[in-house]
């Protein structure tokens, strides 16, 4: 958290600078809302550390790191509209405060500003190629985010989803942008092909671990720390790694019971659902799976020379599955 805090202090002024010229004032305020509300800034931190880990200077990747955070924020604003979520980072969502139309525009302008940020990188013959490759990486992740969100929507009230389908969805919706952060950071730092590929895979694996750990915390976390009731995903009828795995393995009777709870979309059935998860040991399975992805992610870092940046990348991988919210 200390590392993330230090890197946030470097990223925040860049975010404010790139958004400063947005008019009218209402659009500026809507665009800045979630950025001002905080957030861990894991993605831009990973971009900067990946750049440093391959021998680059932090400034080489600063504009790309800013772009990654802008895209992440854009996706959150649009997600909240689609999911009808009224709170984000302890604050009312953008669409609650400014209305859906302004929120859509705020997301759109953040998306556009991401590419403006990347193109502000000092261009010479060497960096032009890197900027071009970084933009290609970022664009690919944006396409995947949309595909992942579409898959997520299609999974609603579909109780026949297989684990591999769920993993593909969370890769596209969550892990792809984290992978883009580490890959584009390594590109901007002048990493070798082997280093860029390794860091891209590291990002993908910790991204998968991140979402699976979120699914796990929804059941195994602490209500006060999470800031929401235990089993919120169940109460909202959401598909998680726990529900997908349990539905795959459960008896017909337990399967029907769990489907009934998910369809009811009520906090009342949460405890019964947790008992079904315990019966099929899917809570422990989710925890093990997140740990396995983290272990594999750290193994990808072996191609890098020893450095403080590499050490911090290893620590962030551990943090992903040790965090309490």
């Amino acid at each position: 958290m200390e590392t993330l805090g230090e890197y946030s202090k470097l990223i925040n002024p860049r975010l404010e600078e790139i958004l400063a010229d947005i008019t009218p004032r209402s659009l500026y305020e809507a665009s800045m809302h979630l950025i001002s509300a905080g957030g861990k800034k894991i993605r831009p931190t990973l971009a900067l550390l990946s750049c440093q880990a391959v021998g680059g200077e932090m400034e080489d990747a600063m504009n790309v790191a800013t772009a990654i955070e802008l895209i992440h924020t854009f996706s959150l604003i649009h997600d909240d509209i689609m999911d009808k979520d009224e709170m984000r980072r302890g604050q009312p969502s953008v669409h609650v405060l400014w209305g859906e139309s302004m929120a859509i525009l705020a997301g759109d302008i953040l998306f556009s500003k991401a590419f403006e940020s990347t193109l502000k990188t000092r261009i010479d013959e060497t960096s032009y190629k890197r900027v071009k490759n970084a933009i290609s990486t970022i664009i690919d992740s944006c396409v995947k985010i949309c595909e992942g969100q579409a898959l997520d929507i299609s999974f609603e009230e579909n109780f026949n989803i297989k684990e591999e389908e769920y993993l593909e969805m969370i890769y596209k919706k969550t892990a792809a942008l984290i992978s883009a952060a580490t890959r584009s950071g390594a590109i901007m730092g002048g990493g070798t092909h082997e280093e860029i590929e390794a860091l891209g895979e590291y990002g993908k694996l910790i991204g998968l671990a991140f979402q699976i750990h979120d699914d796990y915390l929804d059941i195994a976390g602490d209500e006060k720390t999470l800031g929401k009731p235990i089993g919120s995903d169940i109460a909202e009828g959401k598909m998680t790694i726990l529900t997908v795995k349990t539905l795959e393995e459960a008896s017909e009777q337990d399967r029907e019971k769990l489907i009934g709870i998910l369809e009811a979309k009520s906090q009342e059935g949460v405890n019964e659902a947790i008992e079904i998860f315990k019966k099929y040991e899917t809570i422990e399975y989710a925890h093990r799976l997140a740990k396995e992805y983290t272990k594999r992610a750290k193994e990808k870092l072996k191609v890098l020379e020893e450095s403080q940046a590499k050490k911090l990348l290893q620590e962030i991988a551990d943090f992903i599955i040790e965090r309490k919210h």
Side-chain angles (χ1 to χ4, degrees):
M1 285 302 289
E2 195 178 313
T3 300
L4 294 171
E6 286 171 11
Y7 279 79
S8 288
K9 285 175 192 169
L10 301 171
I11 292 287
N12 286 335
R14 296 300 186 101
L15 290 165
E16 289 166 14
E17 184 186 327
I18 196 79
L19 301 179
D21 62 352
I22 293 175
T23 58
R25 183 74 188 173
S26 55
L27 180 57
Y28 168 76
E29 288 173 351
S31 303
M32 278 297 298
H33 178 64
L34 286 185
I35 290 165
S36 303
K40 299 182 187 78
K41 305 289 191 298
I42 287 176
R43 292 156 189 81
T45 299
L46 287 168
L48 297 177
L49 286 172
S50 297
C51 176
Q52 291 176 301
V54 299
E57 296 293 326
M58 199 192 302
E59 188 56 38
D60 297 336
M62 189 61 79
N63 290 324
V64 166
T66 304
I68 293 284
E69 186 63 15
L70 290 168
I71 287 167
H72 176 55
T73 311
F74 133 76
S75 72
L76 296 180
I77 293 173
H78 283 197
D79 269 8
D80 287 344
I81 295 167
M82 285 183 267
D83 297 341
K84 298 180 172 56
D85 286 339
E86 296 190 352
M87 297 292 289
R88 172 74 68 174
R89 294 176 178 167
Q91 305 276 342
S93 300
V94 175
H95 68 92
V96 170
L97 294 175
W98 284 276
E100 283 191 11
S101 298
M102 189 64 80
I104 290 166
L105 291 171
D108 291 347
I109 207 162
L110 290 171
F111 182 79
S112 306
K113 284 286 186 178
F115 296 97
E116 182 186 324
S117 174
T118 306
L119 290 170
K120 281 180 179 287
T121 303
R122 182 180 56 83
I123 299 288
D124 55 31
E125 279 188 29
T126 308
S127 64
Y128 171 75
K129 187 179 177 187
R130 292 179 191 171
V131 169
K132 179 172 153 293
N133 290 341
I135 286 179
S136 295
T137 299
I138 293 167
I139 289 168
D140 180 62
S141 74
C142 291
V143 172
K144 285 187 169 69
I145 289 169
C146 295
E147 291 174 343
Q149 183 67 16
L151 282 172
D152 196 17
I153 291 166
S154 74
F155 286 175
E156 286 175 17
E157 297 187 21
N158 175 358
F159 302 111
N160 296 310
I161 299 155
K162 301 298 178 199
E163 184 178 352
E164 55 269 27
E165 293 175 302
Y166 180 76
L167 292 173
E168 182 196 5
M169 184 274 285
I170 64 170
Y171 159 58
K172 288 183 169 181
K173 187 176 173 180
T174 301
L177 187 61
I178 295 175
S179 179
T182 50
R183 180 181 289 272
S184 60
I187 289 168
M188 294 308 298
T192 64
H193 176 74
E194 186 186 19
E195 289 170 334
I196 291 165
E197 290 302 310
L199 279 160
E201 278 298 301
Y202 159 87
K204 174 183 174 179
L205 289 163
I206 64 166
L208 290 169
F210 188 96
Q211 184 56 57
I212 290 165
H213 187 64
D214 264 7
D215 291 353
Y216 168 77
L217 283 178
D218 184 64
I219 299 301
D222 174 73
E223 204 161 291
K224 279 186 182 174
T225 313
L226 286 175
K228 60 178 184 177
I230 293 298
S232 291
D233 289 343
I234 300 167
E236 290 169 25
K238 286 184 180 177
M239 297 303 282
T240 68
I241 191 69
L242 288 91
T243 49
V244 169
K245 187 72 174 170
T246 305
L247 288 169
E248 273 189 342
E249 297 192 351
S251 67
E252 195 59 41
Q253 187 182 3
D254 287 337
R255 182 180 154 80
E256 282 178 18
K257 205 180 288 181
L258 183 56
I259 289 171
I261 292 165
L262 293 167
E263 285 179 330
K265 295 187 178 180
S266 163
Q267 199 69 32
E268 284 177 23
V270 166
N271 289 336
E272 192 177 1
I274 291 171
E275 288 307 311
I276 297 170
F277 292 157
K278 285 178 179 174
K279 182 176 177 180
Y280 294 95
E281 299 181 350
T282 44
I283 302 171
E284 293 85 353
Y285 175 78
H287 192 46
R288 279 200 313 275
L289 188 60
K291 283 169 78 172
E292 175 60 28
Y293 279 132
T294 303
K295 182 184 168 200
R296 284 168 52 191
K298 289 197 286 188
E299 283 169 3
K300 296 291 178 185
L301 300 177
K302 286 178 180 174
V303 305
L304 303 174
E305 290 183 18
E306 294 305 316
S307 66
Q308 179 65 9
K310 178 181 175 179
K311 182 171 172 286
L312 290 170
L313 287 170
Q314 290 168 330
E315 287 179 6
I316 286 176
D318 289 330
F319 166 74
I320 293 289
I321 56 162
E322 286 170 4
R323 65 198 165 89
K324 306 297 181 191
H325 61 87

